[in-house]
Amino acid sequence: MEEEDIYTKDGTTDFRNNPAIKTKTGTWKACPYILGNECCERLAYYGINTNLVNYLKNQLNQSNVVAINNVTNWSGTCYVMPLIGAFLADAYLGRYWTIATFSTIYVIGMTVLTMSASIHGLKPICHENNVCHPTKLQTAVFFLGLYLIALGTGGIKPCVSSFGADQFDDSDEAEKKKKSSFFNWFYLSINIGALIAASVLVWIQTNVGWGWGFGIPAVAMAIAVVSFFSGTRLYRNQRPGGSPLTRICQVLVASIRKFRVQVPANESLLYETADEESSVKGSRKLDHTKQLSFFDKAAVETPLDRVKSSINPWRLCSVTQVEELKSIIRLLPVWATGIVFSAVYSQMGTLFVLQGNTMDLHLTKSFQIPSASLSLFDTISVIFWVPIYDRLIVPLASKFTGHKNGFTQLQRIAIGLVISIFAMLAAGSLELFRLDLVRKHNYYQVKNIPMSIFWQVPQYLIIGCAEVFTFIGQLEFFYDQAPDAMKSLCSALSLTTAALGNYLSSLLVKIVSDVSSRHGSHGWIPDNLNYGHLHYFFWLLAVLSFINLGFYLLVARCYTYKRPLNNN
């Protein structure tokens, strides 16, 4: 093997900051530690998220609407915070140290949350009739722990998937082919953690106690940290490239300053560093594209751009720097279409649970299944479909599409958007059938009507199938289309669709509750759902999903995939 073939060509380094050696670092041998970290961290997250609406209702004595909005607001915050972690990772710390730092914050948050549910004086006092009256201090401590966890996710979520993908060299065709499979198995590890959370942890929270129910996820998070550090010697690390926001602003300012400058027809006349390496630390050079040509003005060199032979970065930017901004702009329309899908997905932790609370929870005569545990069928669906997709659908679809991965990333996302519509139609139809039973037998004051909760299984299974196509497709798409020095930022950008989806769900719940409960009516989502019209809300989401699908198809049709990187 020639000396230049010993090292990776994508600029990655080992834990000593030396060029990464192919045979000793990265690929699948480094991935088990990353996948183990993600599995345990997701077990911890879903151990809180899955049953949180019931904790807020029963332990903090909140109404349906308030509890739903608190869950979606917190969940949304968990998906906004990655913007902070991604910025720090890409600009200064690198993905490895960002994950390590924010994992510590995460463990502290889990510890505070466990204390709020187990230590006398911090946990709410409940009377014999199961009505709890938390003090302001108890509520404050609980939410402190909750939002420390949200902050902790900010450094982990945008970096772990990108860090795992960093273990495969894009410049090596053999390794590049394995990267697509990594995202499938990465998402599978998420759902193994979610499966344990939705089954074992929810049962413990409901039947043993919230102290144990929060304590076990705290231990899982500690195990996640240990797993991550165990693979340190095997990891490949991308160097941080400096502030991506500064580089974006420089292109914007330089373009505006030169709005009257003519862009030369010959693209080779645009400014680019003569060095083999890009001017952006940690990034390979990007080929010029003709789209969004206004920003090319920033790369047109004029006599005013040099001061004493040095380049003024606020007047002249390299082609690579300009293409970074173009890449981000091209991603935004695709990013926007993920918001409605995330709003649909968020129903599993809120309205699906509340709907299940009104049904017969008995698995056997002596054993009841917690309504939040039904989300395990979503997880089972994902665990079923990931290997099916990777091993059967991809090879089969490749024969018809000619694409090595079966579908393009945008096609994969579109399939999931279509499937998600049927999930809302199934949930709405079930609620309509449930309310018909309530009216026929006058079950309005019955807490659990004689209708098995397992009628909810189809809507969970359908959402799980949609996830495999849309969420995994988004993970791969945003990583693949991101510039080298903005991988974490673009992964965080994809995660913010989940945040905005949760916020959209909160907004819709508030609007329909306020509007539908006017004039003394119960509204769509009252505390007693037997008097409500929850199916209207599910059908509203189905209509929004259909409109969103139409917009997505227009966006996808106009999208141009990132051109191959120029390694010269």
Side-chain angles (χ1 to χ4, degrees):
M1 182 180 290
E2 296 181 7
E3 185 176 351
E4 60 268 21
D5 293 331
I6 296 176
Y7 302 103
T8 58
K9 297 179 181 179
D10 58 0
T12 51
T13 63
D14 61 18
F15 74 104
R16 291 192 177 95
N17 209 30
N18 297 320
I21 299 175
K22 284 185 176 183
T23 56
K24 294 184 178 180
T25 62
T27 66
W28 284 112
K29 60 179 170 288
C31 289
Y33 303 98
I34 299 170
L35 297 177
N37 168 273
E38 183 64 11
C39 180
C40 292
E41 187 275 324
R42 290 291 86 186
L43 186 153
Y45 173 80
Y46 286 112
I48 306 302
N49 179 264
T50 303
N51 208 20
L52 183 58
V53 69
N54 280 330
Y55 184 89
L56 295 174
K57 277 195 66 179
N58 300 328
Q59 301 297 307
L60 298 188
N61 199 22
Q62 296 181 350
S63 67
N64 275 350
V65 171
V66 172
I68 289 170
N69 285 342
N70 273 326
V71 172
T72 51
N73 288 340
W74 173 73
S75 198
T77 303
C78 287
Y79 287 96
V80 164
M81 287 297 174
L83 289 173
I84 297 174
F87 174 79
L88 292 174
D90 284 341
Y92 306 113
L93 299 179
R95 285 185 263 282
Y96 177 87
W97 284 110
T98 302
I99 295 170
T101 302
F102 280 79
S103 293
T104 304
I105 298 173
Y106 201 127
V107 172
I108 293 172
M110 291 297 307
T111 303
V112 172
L113 197 71
T114 303
M115 291 169 60
S116 74
S118 56
I119 296 179
H120 181 72
L122 292 181
K123 66 178 182 179
I125 298 174
C126 302
H127 301 294
E128 292 182 359
N129 58 359
N130 291 325
V131 176
C132 302
H133 297 284
T135 64
K136 290 183 179 180
L137 174 63
Q138 291 167 344
T139 302
V141 171
F142 173 80
F143 278 102
L144 172 64
L146 204 61
Y147 278 88
L148 279 174
I149 293 170
L151 178 59
T153 62
I156 299 173
K157 292 184 72 66
C159 295
V160 175
S161 62
S162 297
F163 189 66
D166 287 344
Q167 308 310 309
F168 301 91
D169 187 353
D170 263 340
S171 303
D172 185 311
E173 284 301 319
E175 290 191 17
K176 188 176 180 180
K177 290 179 181 178
K178 298 173 183 177
K179 185 179 293 185
S180 182
S181 288
F182 167 78
F183 284 108
N184 290 328
W185 295 104
F186 176 81
Y187 204 76
L188 179 65
S189 70
I190 291 175
N191 282 274
I192 291 173
L195 177 65
I196 299 171
S199 53
V200 177
L201 287 181
V202 170
W203 186 88
I204 290 173
Q205 290 165 353
T206 305
N207 296 282
V208 178
W210 290 99
W212 281 99
F214 289 156
I216 293 174
V219 173
M221 189 57 217
I223 294 173
V225 174
V226 172
S227 174
F228 179 74
F229 281 117
S230 298
T232 297
R233 291 177 175 272
L234 297 175
Y235 296 147
R236 295 175 183 174
N237 302 287
Q238 285 281 3
R239 295 185 182 97
S243 172
L245 298 182
T246 300
R247 295 198 301 276
I248 288 173
C249 289
Q250 286 171 343
V251 175
L252 292 172
V253 171
S255 300
I256 294 171
R257 278 180 166 180
K258 298 178 180 177
F259 73 97
R260 292 181 180 176
V261 173
Q262 188 72 27
V263 177
N266 185 353
E267 63 184 46
S268 65
L269 297 177
L270 296 175
Y271 172 71
E272 182 58 276
T273 57
D275 299 332
E276 183 176 341
E277 292 187 2
S278 164
S279 59
V280 181
K281 186 179 178 182
S283 176
R284 289 163 288 181
K285 290 181 179 179
L286 292 173
D287 289 335
H288 175 261
T289 59
K290 293 182 179 180
Q291 290 180 320
L292 302 167
S293 59
F294 172 79
F295 298 108
D296 290 338
K297 296 177 184 292
V300 178
E301 188 169 359
T302 67
L304 297 175
D305 295 332
R306 291 181 182 270
V307 180
K308 295 181 180 180
S309 300
S310 64
I311 299 294
N312 181 350
W314 294 93
R315 292 195 61 92
L316 182 63
C317 305
S318 67
V319 169
T320 295
Q321 196 172 336
V322 172
E323 290 301 321
E324 280 189 332
L325 175 59
K326 288 184 181 181
S327 296
I328 298 296
I329 294 174
R330 283 195 292 262
L331 287 173
L332 290 179
V334 179
W335 164 83
T337 59
I339 296 172
V340 173
F341 180 84
S342 294
V344 168
Y345 178 78
S346 71
Q347 303 313 309
M348 285 197 303
T350 54
L351 290 178
F352 281 16
V353 176
L354 296 179
Q355 182 187 45
N357 285 344
T358 67
M359 304 172 76
D360 183 5
L361 305 176
H362 285 90
L363 185 61
T364 65
K365 287 185 178 181
S366 59
F367 181 79
Q368 289 188 348
I369 183 171
S371 59
S373 287
L374 263 289
S375 64
L376 65 88
F377 287 100
D378 162 75
T379 306
I380 290 171
S381 180
V382 171
I383 292 173
F384 172 79
W385 281 108
V386 164
I388 292 295
Y389 181 87
D390 197 56
R391 302 300 181 188
L392 295 179
I393 295 179
V394 168
L396 183 62
S398 297
K399 295 179 181 179
F400 295 95
T401 64
H403 194 275
K404 62 182 179 180
N405 292 326
F407 303 102
T408 67
Q409 295 152 355
L410 290 175
Q411 288 171 341
R412 182 175 184 174
I413 294 170
I415 294 170
L417 294 181
V418 172
I419 296 171
S420 70
I421 297 173
F422 291 97
M424 289 298 95
L425 292 176
S429 299
L430 173 63
E431 182 64 10
L432 189 63
F433 184 76
R434 192 190 71 81
L435 289 176
D436 185 59
L437 194 65
V438 169
R439 284 191 292 270
K440 283 183 178 178
H441 300 280
N442 195 27
Y443 288 146
Y444 290 102
Q445 297 302 320
V446 177
K447 182 179 179 182
N448 301 102
I449 69 170
M451 179 181 183
S452 175
I453 191 174
F454 289 101
W455 282 102
Q456 282 193 310
V457 169
Q459 62 206 53
Y460 283 101
L461 292 177
I462 295 171
I463 284 186
C465 182
E467 281 182 70
V468 170
F469 286 90
T470 294
F471 276 155
I472 301 178
Q474 284 179 340
L475 274 175
E476 185 178 357
F477 176 76
F478 277 84
Y479 181 88
D480 186 63
Q481 297 301 301
D484 286 348
M486 292 186 178
K487 297 289 189 184
S488 297
L489 186 65
C490 288
S491 293
L493 191 64
S494 71
L495 292 171
T496 57
T497 62
L500 294 176
N502 277 281
Y503 294 147
L504 174 62
S505 178
S506 291
L507 179 62
L508 290 175
V509 167
K510 181 171 177 54
I511 291 173
V512 300
S513 296
D514 290 345
V515 173
S516 63
S517 60
R518 289 177 180 175
H519 311 297
S521 63
H522 291 286
W524 288 9
I525 313 174
D527 285 340
N528 185 342
L529 291 180
N530 293 335
Y531 289 102
H533 299 281
L534 187 58
H535 54 294
Y536 290 165
F537 187 80
F538 290 139
W539 287 343
L540 172 64
L541 286 176
V543 171
L544 291 176
S545 297
F546 184 78
I547 295 171
N548 182 63
L549 174 64
F551 176 66
Y552 174 83
L553 293 176
L554 290 174
V555 168
R557 186 174 182 180
C558 298
Y559 187 84
T560 302
Y561 282 89
K562 187 180 70 177
R563 291 178 59 170
L565 294 171
N566 183 355
N567 296 318
N568 295 325

